[in-house]
């Protein structure tokens, strides 16, 4: 699991989650490998309790990546 966490952390420069909207700012090389731009916007379509669970999981996975407020 540690190796996967390092891969995610090295790809993400910053992140923000407001309600059910998640914004990830990616480094250019990983974004290009995925064929996307440097910003990835996602919507978590779930009840508030599940959105809160997603937030906590992201905070744990992206431990060393700054959260942008």
């Amino acid at each position: 699991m540690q190796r996967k966490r390092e891969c995610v952390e090295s790809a993400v420069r910053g992140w923000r989650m407001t309600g059910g909207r998640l914004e990830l700012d990616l480094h250019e090389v990983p974004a290009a490998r995925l064929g996307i731009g440097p910003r990835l916007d996602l919507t978590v379509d779930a009840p508030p309790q599940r959105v809160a669970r997603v937030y906590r999981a992201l905070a744990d996975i992206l431990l060393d990546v700054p959260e942008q407020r």
Side-chain angles (χ1 to χ4, degrees), residues 28-60:
E28 290 181 25
V29 172
R33 286 184 185 157
L34 292 171
I36 59 175
R39 168 157 283 169
L40 181 61
D41 294 324
L42 302 170
T43 301
V44 179
D45 186 19
Q49 294 145 327
R50 184 158 296 161
V51 170
R53 203 174 328 153
V54 169
Y55 174 85
R56 288 191 303 271
L58 282 170
D60 182 49

Side-chain angles (χ1 to χ4, degrees), residues 2-64:
Q2 183 64 27
R3 179 150 171 79
K4 287 182 182 179
R5 176 175 289 170
E6 289 171 3
C7 292
V8 169
E9 287 177 353
S10 64
V12 178
R13 292 182 328 170
W15 66 285
R16 173 190 346 229
M17 188 162 182
T18 307
R21 183 170 181 217
L22 171 63
E23 300 171 9
L24 296 171
D25 291 324
L26 305 173
H27 289 283
E28 290 181 25
V29 172
R33 286 184 185 157
L34 292 171
I36 59 175
R39 168 157 283 169
L40 181 61
D41 294 324
L42 302 170
T43 301
V44 179
D45 186 19
Q49 294 145 327
R50 184 158 296 161
V51 170
R53 203 174 328 153
V54 169
Y55 174 85
R56 288 191 303 271
L58 282 170
D60 182 49
I61 292 167
L62 300 171
L63 182 65
D64 294 328

